[in-house]
Amino acid sequence: MNLRQITYFLKIAQLRSFTNAANALYVSQPALSKQMRLLEEELGTALFIRSDRGVKLTDAGELLHARAPHVLEEIASLRNDLQACATQEPGGPLMVGMGISARDIVTVPVVSRYLQRYPRVSLHVREGITGPLVEDVKLGSLDCALLFEVDADEPLIAEPYVREPLLYVGPRTSDLSMEKPVSIAQALAQPLATTGGNSPLRRRIDRAAADIETSTPVAFEVNDVAVMLGCISLNGLHAVVPYSSVHWALAEGRVRAAPIDGLWIDWSFVHARNFGLSLAARAFRSLVFEAAAHLVAIGEWKFCSLLSPQPDQP
């Protein structure tokens, strides 16, 4: 039994629906069902009675529903008491991972602000794509990371960060406009410069293609946004990427873009469940969430929406 399973259980018990709970928790229904199946197997008893009309709790489920909130409250109280003991200024080494797409809109301003506010921290930033960064967080070589969607089965705490609609990006000579959304079919009508097939972004695009019974028209694969933008400008290719990847290129007029109806990608702030977060890491997390709230409020992170409230200061 772990805290994620308890949280999932309580949301299902609250909404009396696996589907509604999965939507509220921003996880897939199969992943949610798997976690509840593992929990029931560990406890050796059923927690739910499933029917076409929804979900009811068994007697064991009712007992867990009655006592689990007190367990979570006690853990939260213990965490707060322990954090209150850490009255010293954050210091020591901090290793963070940042998704490449976040470079200009989040990474640079947050790192700059962090260095000014916490000079005793030895900050190391590793840019990369989701897969390798996830593995480094699991191994403990990174304290935390901000990246695209993470598999719910990973042994990580993944805090929902922002939801960012994807854009159809083309050369500056195209007639694309940020005021005129395009359909998924339109976005998949031309060969794309795209990320590798195992990246969350590519998986999102491939699923959208499958939904309209087509395939992703791949011109070439690359995980470097700068290379992608260069090929769009010089070769007339197109790409499907988040706004954060291209907002400076759009501002400078190097490319044009249009939002894609019904296609988005979620960001998560992740850290390993078994390592926890140091005081320095909690301070970094606060600045990361603070930055998103500010960018969305002033309209600089266009079309973006927050997925969770800003964490408390460390």
Side-chain angles (χ1 to χ4, degrees), residues 11-227:
K11 182 58 69 175
I12 297 168
Q14 175 192 358
L15 300 178
R16 302 289 166 157
S17 164
F18 274 71
T19 300
N20 293 341
N23 291 334
L25 292 163
Y26 299 103
V27 299
S28 69
Q29 187 170 336
L32 182 64
S33 297
K34 178 180 179 180
Q35 289 300 317
M36 292 303 95
R37 185 173 66 254
L38 292 173
L39 179 59
E40 289 178 322
E41 289 175 357
E42 179 181 351
L43 297 176
T45 184
L47 299 173
F48 305 102
I49 302 171
R50 300 163 177 82
S51 71
D52 293 338
R53 291 178 293 178
V55 173
K56 292 179 61 178
L57 297 179
T58 64
D59 289 344
E62 292 287 1
L63 178 61
L64 181 59
H65 186 235
R67 297 178 62 174
H70 302 293
V71 174
L72 295 181
E73 289 171 9
E74 182 62 27
I75 292 173
S77 176
L78 175 60
R79 179 199 63 209
N80 293 337
D81 289 344
L82 292 173
Q83 289 178 351
C85 294
T87 56
Q88 74 275 16
E89 179 186 354
L94 175 64
M95 303 287 295
V96 302
M98 300 295 286
I100 296 172
S101 293
R103 178 184 299 165
D104 293 325
I105 204 162
V106 176
T107 305
V108 172
V110 166
V111 167
S112 177
R113 195 171 299 120
Y114 190 88
L115 293 174
Q116 293 175 358
R117 191 174 296 184
Y118 304 108
R120 294 183 61 247
V121 175
S122 175
L123 179 63
H124 305 264
V125 180
R126 185 181 306 165
E127 257 194 343
I129 58 177
T130 293
L133 293 181
V134 164
E135 292 305 311
D136 287 340
V137 173
K138 287 161 59 176
L139 292 172
S141 57
L142 288 177
D143 294 291
C144 54
L146 180 67
L147 36 75
F148 287 148
E149 299 168 341
V150 177
D151 192 324
D153 292 332
E154 294 285 3
L156 300 168
I157 294 176
E159 299 180 65
Y161 184 57
V162 298
R163 171 163 292 175
E164 187 174 19
L166 296 178
L167 304 183
Y168 182 49
V169 182
R172 62 183 179 181
T173 54
S174 69
D175 60 357
L176 296 173
S177 169
M178 294 291 280
E179 284 71 48
K180 296 179 180 179
V182 300
S183 67
I184 293 173
Q186 288 173 299
L188 298 177
Q190 299 289 332
L192 299 176
T194 182
T195 53
N198 198 37
S199 72
L201 177 59
R202 176 63 178 280
R203 291 199 301 269
R204 174 69 71 173
I205 297 169
D206 287 348
R207 287 199 301 270
D211 288 342
I212 60 171
E213 299 182 342
T214 187
S215 58
T216 304
V218 179
F220 80 104
E221 296 180 348
V222 62
N223 287 323
D224 190 303
V225 175
V227 174

